[in-house]
PDB file of all heavy atoms in Angstrom:
ATOM      1  N   ASN A   4     -25.482 -15.962 -13.380  1.00 86.00           N
ATOM      2  CA  ASN A   4     -25.095 -17.413 -13.513  1.00 86.00           C
ATOM      3  C   ASN A   4     -23.747 -17.535 -14.193  1.00 86.00           C
ATOM      4  O   ASN A   4     -23.401 -18.654 -14.595  1.00 86.00           O
ATOM      5  CB  ASN A   4     -26.165 -18.222 -14.253  1.00 86.00           C
ATOM      6  CG  ASN A   4     -27.429 -18.313 -13.426  1.00 86.00           C
ATOM      7  OD1 ASN A   4     -27.411 -18.554 -12.246  1.00 86.00           O
ATOM      8  ND2 ASN A   4     -28.551 -18.134 -14.103  1.00 86.00           N
ATOM      9  N   SER A   5     -22.988 -16.513 -14.355  1.00 85.00           N
ATOM     10  CA  SER A   5     -21.710 -16.568 -15.050  1.00 85.00           C
ATOM     11  C   SER A   5     -20.594 -17.061 -14.151  1.00 85.00           C
ATOM     12  O   SER A   5     -20.590 -16.848 -12.935  1.00 85.00           O
ATOM     13  CB  SER A   5     -21.339 -15.175 -15.574  1.00 85.00           C
ATOM     14  OG  SER A   5     -19.985 -15.206 -16.113  1.00 85.00           O
ATOM     15  N   LEU A   6     -19.651 -17.804 -14.778  1.00 84.00           N
ATOM     16  CA  LEU A   6     -18.472 -18.300 -14.088  1.00 84.00           C
ATOM     17  C   LEU A   6     -17.213 -17.540 -14.470  1.00 84.00           C
ATOM     18  O   LEU A   6     -16.110 -17.927 -14.067  1.00 84.00           O
ATOM     19  CB  LEU A   6     -18.277 -19.793 -14.392  1.00 84.00           C
ATOM     20  CG  LEU A   6     -19.441 -20.719 -14.002  1.00 84.00           C
ATOM     21  CD1 LEU A   6     -19.217 -22.101 -14.553  1.00 84.00           C
ATOM     22  CD2 LEU A   6     -19.667 -20.719 -12.539  1.00 84.00           C
ATOM     23  N   ASN A   7     -17.324 -16.489 -15.258  1.00 84.00           N
ATOM     24  CA  ASN A   7     -16.183 -15.739 -15.737  1.00 84.00           C
ATOM     25  C   ASN A   7     -15.262 -15.286 -14.617  1.00 84.00           C
ATOM     26  O   ASN A   7     -14.052 -15.304 -14.762  1.00 84.00           O
ATOM     27  CB  ASN A   7     -16.595 -14.540 -16.578  1.00 84.00           C
ATOM     28  CG  ASN A   7     -17.183 -14.977 -17.922  1.00 84.00           C
ATOM     29  OD1 ASN A   7     -16.857 -16.088 -18.413  1.00 84.00           O
ATOM     30  ND2 ASN A   7     -17.992 -14.154 -18.512  1.00 84.00           N
ATOM     31  N   TRP A   8     -15.808 -14.846 -13.489  1.00 87.00           N
ATOM     32  CA  TRP A   8     -14.992 -14.400 -12.340  1.00 87.00           C
ATOM     33  C   TRP A   8     -14.044 -15.458 -11.905  1.00 87.00           C
ATOM     34  O   TRP A   8     -12.908 -15.163 -11.473  1.00 87.00           O
ATOM     35  CB  TRP A   8     -15.924 -13.988 -11.183  1.00 87.00           C
ATOM     36  CG  TRP A   8     -16.741 -15.158 -10.675  1.00 87.00           C
ATOM     37  CD1 TRP A   8     -17.971 -15.521 -11.151  1.00 87.00           C
ATOM     38  CD2 TRP A   8     -16.405 -16.076  -9.702  1.00 87.00           C
ATOM     39  NE1 TRP A   8     -18.389 -16.632 -10.504  1.00 87.00           N
ATOM     40  CE2 TRP A   8     -17.449 -17.001  -9.604  1.00 87.00           C
ATOM     41  CE3 TRP A   8     -15.276 -16.252  -8.857  1.00 87.00           C
ATOM     42  CZ2 TRP A   8     -17.418 -18.066  -8.692  1.00 87.00           C
ATOM     43  CZ3 TRP A   8     -15.264 -17.274  -7.947  1.00 87.00           C
ATOM     44  CH2 TRP A   8     -16.334 -18.196  -7.923  1.00 87.00           C
ATOM     45  N   LEU A   9     -14.420 -16.732 -12.003  1.00 86.00           N
ATOM     46  CA  LEU A   9     -13.595 -17.836 -11.525  1.00 86.00           C
ATOM     47  C   LEU A   9     -12.366 -17.996 -12.452  1.00 86.00           C
ATOM     48  O   LEU A   9     -11.249 -18.183 -11.967  1.00 86.00           O
ATOM     49  CB  LEU A   9     -14.416 -19.137 -11.555  1.00 86.00           C
ATOM     50  CG  LEU A   9     -13.678 -20.420 -11.259  1.00 86.00           C
ATOM     51  CD1 LEU A   9     -13.061 -20.376  -9.877  1.00 86.00           C
ATOM     52  CD2 LEU A   9     -14.643 -21.601 -11.394  1.00 86.00           C
ATOM     53  N   PHE A  10     -12.556 -17.897 -13.765  1.00 81.00           N
ATOM     54  CA  PHE A  10     -11.486 -18.094 -14.679  1.00 81.00           C
ATOM     55  C   PHE A  10     -10.511 -16.912 -14.813  1.00 81.00           C
ATOM     56  O   PHE A  10      -9.488 -17.010 -15.470  1.00 81.00           O
ATOM     57  CB  PHE A  10     -12.017 -18.536 -16.041  1.00 81.00           C
ATOM     58  CG  PHE A  10     -12.803 -19.810 -15.943  1.00 81.00           C
ATOM     59  CD1 PHE A  10     -14.183 -19.797 -15.997  1.00 81.00           C
ATOM     60  CD2 PHE A  10     -12.170 -21.004 -15.705  1.00 81.00           C
ATOM     61  CE1 PHE A  10     -14.912 -20.983 -15.859  1.00 81.00           C
ATOM     62  CE2 PHE A  10     -12.887 -22.209 -15.557  1.00 81.00           C
ATOM     63  CZ  PHE A  10     -14.271 -22.188 -15.628  1.00 81.00           C
ATOM     64  N   GLU A  11     -10.887 -15.832 -14.188  1.00 83.00           N
ATOM     65  CA  GLU A  11     -10.037 -14.651 -14.104  1.00 83.00           C
ATOM     66  C   GLU A  11      -9.126 -14.647 -12.883  1.00 83.00           C
ATOM     67  O   GLU A  11      -8.363 -13.681 -12.667  1.00 83.00           O
ATOM     68  CB  GLU A  11     -10.893 -13.366 -14.140  1.00 83.00           C
ATOM     69  CG  GLU A  11     -11.664 -13.206 -15.430  1.00 83.00           C
ATOM     70  CD  GLU A  11     -12.738 -12.154 -15.345  1.00 83.00           C
ATOM     71  OE1 GLU A  11     -12.988 -11.589 -14.260  1.00 83.00           O
ATOM     72  OE2 GLU A  11     -13.379 -11.896 -16.373  1.00 83.00           O
ATOM     73  N   THR A  12      -9.181 -15.705 -12.081  1.00 78.00           N
ATOM     74  CA  THR A  12      -8.392 -15.807 -10.865  1.00 78.00           C
ATOM     75  C   THR A  12      -7.188 -16.685 -11.130  1.00 78.00           C
ATOM     76  O   THR A  12      -7.294 -17.775 -11.669  1.00 78.00           O
ATOM     77  CB  THR A  12      -9.265 -16.400  -9.710  1.00 78.00           C
ATOM     78  OG1 THR A  12     -10.416 -15.629  -9.581  1.00 78.00           O
ATOM     79  CG2 THR A  12      -8.484 -16.393  -8.381  1.00 78.00           C
ATOM     80  N   ASP A  13      -6.018 -16.268 -10.708  1.00 74.00           N
ATOM     81  CA  ASP A  13      -4.743 -16.925 -10.980  1.00 74.00           C
ATOM     82  C   ASP A  13      -4.601 -18.210 -10.121  1.00 74.00           C
ATOM     83  O   ASP A  13      -4.667 -18.116  -8.895  1.00 74.00           O
ATOM     84  CB  ASP A  13      -3.598 -15.984 -10.675  1.00 74.00           C
ATOM     85  CG  ASP A  13      -2.239 -16.585 -10.934  1.00 74.00           C
ATOM     86  OD1 ASP A  13      -2.159 -17.573 -11.726  1.00 74.00           O
ATOM     87  OD2 ASP A  13      -1.253 -16.087 -10.375  1.00 74.00           O
ATOM     88  N   THR A  14      -4.422 -19.349 -10.772  1.00 76.00           N
ATOM     89  CA  THR A  14      -4.161 -20.598 -10.079  1.00 76.00           C
ATOM     90  C   THR A  14      -2.659 -20.847  -9.908  1.00 76.00           C
ATOM     91  O   THR A  14      -2.273 -21.865  -9.360  1.00 76.00           O
ATOM     92  CB  THR A  14      -4.734 -21.782 -10.852  1.00 76.00           C
ATOM     93  OG1 THR A  14      -4.034 -21.922 -12.103  1.00 76.00           O
ATOM     94  CG2 THR A  14      -6.233 -21.654 -11.064  1.00 76.00           C
ATOM     95  N   GLY A  15      -1.834 -19.969 -10.416  1.00 78.00           N
ATOM     96  CA  GLY A  15      -0.410 -20.173 -10.357  1.00 78.00           C
ATOM     97  C   GLY A  15       0.027 -21.352 -11.260  1.00 78.00           C
ATOM     98  O   GLY A  15       1.090 -21.930 -11.069  1.00 78.00           O
ATOM     99  N   GLY A  16      -0.795 -21.685 -12.222  1.00 79.00           N
ATOM    100  CA  GLY A  16      -0.529 -22.792 -13.165  1.00 79.00           C
ATOM    101  C   GLY A  16      -0.752 -24.169 -12.559  1.00 79.00           C
ATOM    102  O   GLY A  16      -0.421 -25.185 -13.172  1.00 79.00           O
ATOM    103  N   GLU A  17      -1.333 -24.206 -11.353  1.00 84.00           N
ATOM    104  CA  GLU A  17      -1.553 -25.489 -10.681  1.00 84.00           C
ATOM    105  C   GLU A  17      -3.010 -25.644 -10.370  1.00 84.00           C
ATOM    106  O   GLU A  17      -3.722 -24.692 -10.145  1.00 84.00           O
ATOM    107  CB  GLU A  17      -0.799 -25.552  -9.368  1.00 84.00           C
ATOM    108  CG  GLU A  17       0.685 -25.416  -9.503  1.00 84.00           C
ATOM    109  CD  GLU A  17       1.359 -25.400  -8.112  1.00 84.00           C
ATOM    110  OE1 GLU A  17       0.941 -26.168  -7.238  1.00 84.00           O
ATOM    111  OE2 GLU A  17       2.239 -24.539  -7.933  1.00 84.00           O
ATOM    112  N   THR A  18      -3.509 -26.873 -10.368  1.00 88.00           N
ATOM    113  CA  THR A  18      -4.838 -27.227  -9.839  1.00 88.00           C
ATOM    114  C   THR A  18      -4.756 -28.705  -9.395  1.00 88.00           C
ATOM    115  O   THR A  18      -3.835 -29.401  -9.697  1.00 88.00           O
ATOM    116  CB  THR A  18      -5.965 -27.057 -10.873  1.00 88.00           C
ATOM    117  OG1 THR A  18      -5.923 -28.123 -11.807  1.00 88.00           O
ATOM    118  CG2 THR A  18      -5.896 -25.753 -11.581  1.00 88.00           C
ATOM    119  N   THR A  19      -5.835 -29.138  -8.762  1.00 90.00           N
ATOM    120  CA  THR A  19      -5.948 -30.547  -8.431  1.00 90.00           C
ATOM    121  C   THR A  19      -6.940 -31.245  -9.385  1.00 90.00           C
ATOM    122  O   THR A  19      -7.216 -32.399  -9.277  1.00 90.00           O
ATOM    123  CB  THR A  19      -6.519 -30.723  -6.985  1.00 90.00           C
ATOM    124  OG1 THR A  19      -7.759 -30.035  -6.854  1.00 90.00           O
ATOM    125  CG2 THR A  19      -5.506 -30.168  -5.986  1.00 90.00           C
ATOM    126  N   TYR A  20      -7.430 -30.472 -10.359  1.00 89.00           N
ATOM    127  CA  TYR A  20      -8.458 -30.964 -11.291  1.00 89.00           C
ATOM    128  C   TYR A  20      -7.994 -32.182 -12.066  1.00 89.00           C
ATOM    129  O   TYR A  20      -8.716 -33.173 -12.143  1.00 89.00           O
ATOM    130  CB  TYR A  20      -8.909 -29.870 -12.230  1.00 89.00           C
ATOM    131  CG  TYR A  20      -9.964 -30.334 -13.211  1.00 89.00           C
ATOM    132  CD1 TYR A  20     -11.283 -30.478 -12.842  1.00 89.00           C
ATOM    133  CD2 TYR A  20      -9.594 -30.676 -14.513  1.00 89.00           C
ATOM    134  CE1 TYR A  20     -12.245 -30.927 -13.732  1.00 89.00           C
ATOM    135  CE2 TYR A  20     -10.560 -31.133 -15.424  1.00 89.00           C
ATOM    136  CZ  TYR A  20     -11.863 -31.249 -15.010  1.00 89.00           C
ATOM    137  OH  TYR A  20     -12.796 -31.717 -15.905  1.00 89.00           O
ATOM    138  N   GLU A  21      -6.847 -32.166 -12.608  1.00 90.00           N
ATOM    139  CA  GLU A  21      -6.372 -33.257 -13.470  1.00 90.00           C
ATOM    140  C   GLU A  21      -6.333 -34.604 -12.730  1.00 90.00           C
ATOM    141  O   GLU A  21      -6.740 -35.623 -13.252  1.00 90.00           O
ATOM    142  CB  GLU A  21      -5.020 -32.949 -14.111  1.00 90.00           C
ATOM    143  CG  GLU A  21      -5.052 -31.863 -15.149  1.00 90.00           C
ATOM    144  CD  GLU A  21      -6.053 -32.118 -16.284  1.00 90.00           C
ATOM    145  OE1 GLU A  21      -6.206 -33.278 -16.722  1.00 90.00           O
ATOM    146  OE2 GLU A  21      -6.686 -31.181 -16.734  1.00 90.00           O
ATOM    147  N   SER A  22      -5.823 -34.562 -11.497  1.00 93.00           N
ATOM    148  CA  SER A  22      -5.814 -35.832 -10.732  1.00 93.00           C
ATOM    149  C   SER A  22      -7.206 -36.219 -10.273  1.00 93.00           C
ATOM    150  O   SER A  22      -7.537 -37.395 -10.235  1.00 93.00           O
ATOM    151  CB  SER A  22      -4.846 -35.696  -9.555  1.00 93.00           C
ATOM    152  OG  SER A  22      -5.271 -34.716  -8.659  1.00 93.00           O
ATOM    153  N   PHE A  23      -8.049 -35.216  -9.960  1.00 95.00           N
ATOM    154  CA  PHE A  23      -9.424 -35.525  -9.549  1.00 95.00           C
ATOM    155  C   PHE A  23     -10.237 -36.156 -10.658  1.00 95.00           C
ATOM    156  O   PHE A  23     -10.858 -37.194 -10.494  1.00 95.00           O
ATOM    157  CB  PHE A  23     -10.089 -34.247  -9.066  1.00 95.00           C
ATOM    158  CG  PHE A  23     -11.613 -34.401  -8.827  1.00 95.00           C
ATOM    159  CD1 PHE A  23     -12.030 -35.006  -7.682  1.00 95.00           C
ATOM    160  CD2 PHE A  23     -12.517 -34.016  -9.772  1.00 95.00           C
ATOM    161  CE1 PHE A  23     -13.395 -35.175  -7.440  1.00 95.00           C
ATOM    162  CE2 PHE A  23     -13.876 -34.193  -9.561  1.00 95.00           C
ATOM    163  CZ  PHE A  23     -14.316 -34.787  -8.410  1.00 95.00           C
ATOM    164  N   ILE A  24     -10.250 -35.576 -11.865  1.00 95.00           N
ATOM    165  CA  ILE A  24     -11.087 -36.021 -12.957  1.00 95.00           C
ATOM    166  C   ILE A  24     -10.754 -37.422 -13.423  1.00 95.00           C
ATOM    167  O   ILE A  24     -11.596 -38.129 -13.955  1.00 95.00           O
ATOM    168  CB  ILE A  24     -11.079 -34.975 -14.109  1.00 95.00           C
ATOM    169  CG1 ILE A  24     -12.269 -35.232 -15.074  1.00 95.00           C
ATOM    170  CG2 ILE A  24      -9.765 -35.031 -14.863  1.00 95.00           C
ATOM    171  CD1 ILE A  24     -13.630 -34.932 -14.487  1.00 95.00           C
ATOM    172  N   GLN A  25      -9.530 -37.883 -13.197  1.00 95.00           N
ATOM    173  CA  GLN A  25      -9.150 -39.239 -13.596  1.00 95.00           C
ATOM    174  C   GLN A  25      -9.913 -40.285 -12.785  1.00 95.00           C
ATOM    175  O   GLN A  25     -10.005 -41.425 -13.254  1.00 95.00           O
ATOM    176  CB  GLN A  25      -7.654 -39.448 -13.417  1.00 95.00           C
ATOM    177  CG  GLN A  25      -6.786 -38.660 -14.365  1.00 95.00           C
ATOM    178  CD  GLN A  25      -5.341 -38.793 -14.071  1.00 95.00           C
ATOM    179  OE1 GLN A  25      -4.890 -39.690 -13.329  1.00 95.00           O
ATOM    180  NE2 GLN A  25      -4.552 -37.918 -14.660  1.00 95.00           N
ATOM    181  N   ASN A  26     -10.464 -39.923 -11.676  1.00 96.00           N
ATOM    182  CA  ASN A  26     -11.205 -40.852 -10.808  1.00 96.00           C
ATOM    183  C   ASN A  26     -12.716 -40.733 -10.974  1.00 96.00           C
ATOM    184  O   ASN A  26     -13.483 -41.313 -10.205  1.00 96.00           O
ATOM    185  CB  ASN A  26     -10.846 -40.609  -9.324  1.00 96.00           C
ATOM    186  CG  ASN A  26      -9.399 -40.909  -9.068  1.00 96.00           C
ATOM    187  OD1 ASN A  26      -8.907 -41.953  -9.372  1.00 96.00           O
ATOM    188  ND2 ASN A  26      -8.693 -39.912  -8.521  1.00 96.00           N
ATOM    189  N   VAL A  27     -13.167 -39.944 -11.976  1.00 97.00           N
ATOM    190  CA  VAL A  27     -14.609 -39.717 -12.193  1.00 97.00           C
ATOM    191  C   VAL A  27     -15.011 -40.287 -13.508  1.00 97.00           C
ATOM    192  O   VAL A  27     -14.347 -40.106 -14.529  1.00 97.00           O
ATOM    193  CB  VAL A  27     -14.840 -38.160 -12.219  1.00 97.00           C
ATOM    194  CG1 VAL A  27     -16.270 -37.836 -12.615  1.00 97.00           C
ATOM    195  CG2 VAL A  27     -14.523 -37.502 -10.869  1.00 97.00           C
ATOM    196  N   ASP A  28     -16.167 -40.999 -13.505  1.00 96.00           N
ATOM    197  CA  ASP A  28     -16.731 -41.474 -14.798  1.00 96.00           C
ATOM    198  C   ASP A  28     -18.144 -40.972 -15.008  1.00 96.00           C
ATOM    199  O   ASP A  28     -18.676 -41.157 -16.096  1.00 96.00           O
ATOM    200  CB  ASP A  28     -16.578 -42.962 -15.008  1.00 96.00           C
ATOM    201  CG  ASP A  28     -17.390 -43.764 -14.001  1.00 96.00           C
ATOM    202  OD1 ASP A  28     -18.103 -43.194 -13.186  1.00 96.00           O
ATOM    203  OD2 ASP A  28     -17.333 -45.014 -14.112  1.00 96.00           O
ATOM    204  N   THR A  29     -18.735 -40.276 -14.000  1.00 97.00           N
ATOM    205  CA  THR A  29     -20.090 -39.746 -14.153  1.00 97.00           C
ATOM    206  C   THR A  29     -20.115 -38.327 -13.582  1.00 97.00           C
ATOM    207  O   THR A  29     -19.691 -38.131 -12.479  1.00 97.00           O
ATOM    208  CB  THR A  29     -21.104 -40.640 -13.373  1.00 97.00           C
ATOM    209  OG1 THR A  29     -20.931 -42.000 -13.826  1.00 97.00           O
ATOM    210  CG2 THR A  29     -22.532 -40.187 -13.644  1.00 97.00           C
ATOM    211  N   VAL A  30     -20.611 -37.419 -14.420  1.00 97.00           N
ATOM    212  CA  VAL A  30     -20.703 -36.018 -14.035  1.00 97.00           C
ATOM    213  C   VAL A  30     -22.166 -35.655 -13.994  1.00 97.00           C
ATOM    214  O   VAL A  30     -22.877 -35.882 -14.958  1.00 97.00           O
ATOM    215  CB  VAL A  30     -19.966 -35.107 -15.063  1.00 97.00           C
ATOM    216  CG1 VAL A  30     -20.100 -33.631 -14.695  1.00 97.00           C
ATOM    217  CG2 VAL A  30     -18.482 -35.504 -15.132  1.00 97.00           C
TER     218      VAL A  30
END
């Protein structure tokens, strides 16, 4: 159930997360 493999992958310093999360109020 670990997510460590995900955080070891290079995003090149970019993601779409910041713009996505601004439109979310319930997780």
Side-chain angles (χ1 to χ4, degrees):
N4 294 316
S5 173
L6 301 172
N7 289 337
W8 61 272
L9 174 61
F10 299 106
E11 295 167 354
T12 306
D13 181 21
T14 66
E17 300 176 41
T18 74
T19 58
Y20 178 79
E21 291 304 323
S22 61
F23 171 79
I24 196 67
Q25 292 176 15
N26 297 305
V27 173
D28 65 2
T29 306
V30 177

